[in-house]
Amino acid sequence: MRYLDSRKKILVTGGAGFLGSHLIDRLIARGDEVVCADNLFTGTKRNIDHLHGHPRFEFIRHDVTFPLYIEVDQIYNLACPASPIHYQHDPVQTTKTSVHGAINMLGLAKRLKARIFQASTSEVYGDPVEHPQTESYRGNVNPIGPRSCYDEGKRCAETLFFDYHRQHRLDIRVARIFNTYGPRMHPNDGRVVSNFIVQALRGEDITLCGDGRQTRSFCYVDDLIEGFIRFMDMPSGANGEPGLPGPINLGSPCECTIRQLAEIVIELTGASAKIIFLPLPVDDPMQRKPDISLARKHLNDWQPSVCLEDGLRRTIEYFDQLLSHGK
């Protein structure tokens, strides 16, 4: 359901990335004008090449740690490396992207009186002792570990968003994203779905960290983007008050073990791969599953509709074409 009827000019930071490019496609398809801002650290122009020359699309190469002066109606702040390999490559810059990026985008939204969306993460829950995770759970996060640049950077960004909401009555939307997969994932991002698929398609053994009993809940990208848009398009409150700020969990409540995921990928690709077990990374969560009751209640009964096997088939097809072209 769309609540905002008029065409909007929308800024998407991190728009050349996996999630950002899918979001832009949806916004363009419904008639909006979109400005994509990305420094191309983990994003790639390949994800947005099909929009080159489109009259309602503009690309700006920009790092959100620096201010951006632009006129827009809404902002989706998705800029930040999201895979451990990428965000641990330059942890200081990762923290800057989350914190300085939030400050710059919130400052822009305040000046423009624009609604702003923050792509937060289930990593704010750390290695949870509550299962499944509700939005009221405050988390179990190591503030000084190798993953902290991302976990604590996103937690600080949430703090900034809610302080701007309280202090400046800014209309914010904060979504906590759980594991998402689909076409346009980076083939070398180190996340389990892309890792397993690429290894299987290349005829390599599947490398699995830990004993494989740790769990995740995987949401197909189209379902997640639908949640983004429903959340962002909710009307403001009475008398022009800001609407529901969140945080709201967005992800699949269907939990599976990492070993089960590896076995499904092997089956769907027809690979003859063996599973090789490697040490578990530091602070890697043992279980992750969202409680999506709030999303169902407030986002017109939103819930994922694409089952894991169907989503994996689509993702495998994408990576098969990508690898066959040597990209």
Side-chain angles (χ1 to χ4, degrees), residues 119-322:
S120 191
T121 171
S122 61
E123 296 297 332
V124 300
Y125 299 123
D127 189 5
V129 296
E130 175 184 291
H131 193 75
Q133 293 81 59
T134 63
E135 291 85 351
S136 61
Y137 176 54
R138 296 183 181 181
N140 178 37
V141 179
N142 178 1
I144 59 170
R147 301 171 65 101
S148 305
C149 57
Y150 185 69
D151 302 0
E152 296 288 31
K154 288 289 192 177
R155 285 165 68 94
C156 185
E158 285 197 14
T159 299
L160 287 162
F161 266 73
F162 278 88
D163 283 341
Y164 267 77
H165 175 64
R166 287 184 288 260
Q167 186 172 341
H168 301 296
R169 298 179 66 251
L170 196 63
D171 194 356
I172 67 168
R173 303 285 191 274
V174 175
R176 291 176 176 166
I177 302 167
F178 284 68
N179 295 74
T180 306
Y181 70 99
R184 301 183 194 164
M185 293 184 79
H186 197 292
N188 301 313
D189 67 6
R191 288 187 272 195
V192 288
V193 172
S194 51
N195 264 9
F196 291 174
I197 291 175
V198 169
Q199 288 172 336
L201 291 174
R202 287 176 173 166
E204 301 170 356
D205 290 332
I206 303 293
T207 53
L208 193 158
C209 296
D211 61 11
R213 290 185 294 176
Q214 64 270 37
T215 70
R216 296 293 185 271
S217 302
F218 296 99
C219 181
Y220 189 66
V221 61
D222 289 357
D223 287 326
L224 185 79
I225 299 304
E226 177 65 25
F228 280 13
I229 291 174
R230 290 192 194 189
F231 191 15
M232 191 62 154
D233 284 358
M234 288 182 65
S236 299
N239 301 317
E241 290 293 318
L244 179 71
I248 284 183
N249 289 337
L250 293 178
S252 170
C254 299
E255 187 179 16
C256 76
T257 69
I258 299 302
R259 176 151 193 165
Q260 287 172 332
L261 175 69
E263 291 169 346
I264 294 170
V265 169
I266 290 171
E267 179 182 354
L268 293 178
T269 57
S272 56
K274 295 184 297 183
I275 297 176
I276 305 297
F277 295 91
L278 300 177
L280 195 66
V282 176
D283 295 331
D284 193 59
M286 289 305 298
Q287 54 186 6
R288 188 61 61 72
K289 175 183 176 179
D291 182 316
I292 61 169
S293 300
L294 280 181
R296 286 193 177 111
K297 178 180 178 181
H298 294 288
L299 306 184
N300 194 29
D301 202 31
W302 176 88
Q303 59 183 341
S305 61
V306 178
C307 74
L308 181 60
E309 288 79 5
D310 287 346
L312 286 174
R313 287 189 185 94
R314 301 177 198 178
T315 310
I316 289 166
E317 181 180 357
Y318 167 79
F319 277 113
D320 193 27
Q321 293 177 358
L322 189 70

Side-chain angles (χ1 to χ4, degrees), residues 62-79:
H62 181 80
D63 186 327
V64 294
T65 61
F66 298 94
L68 179 62
Y69 301 101
I70 191 173
E71 301 294 321
V72 294
D73 302 303
Q74 292 184 348
I75 302 166
Y76 284 85
N77 186 38
L78 275 60

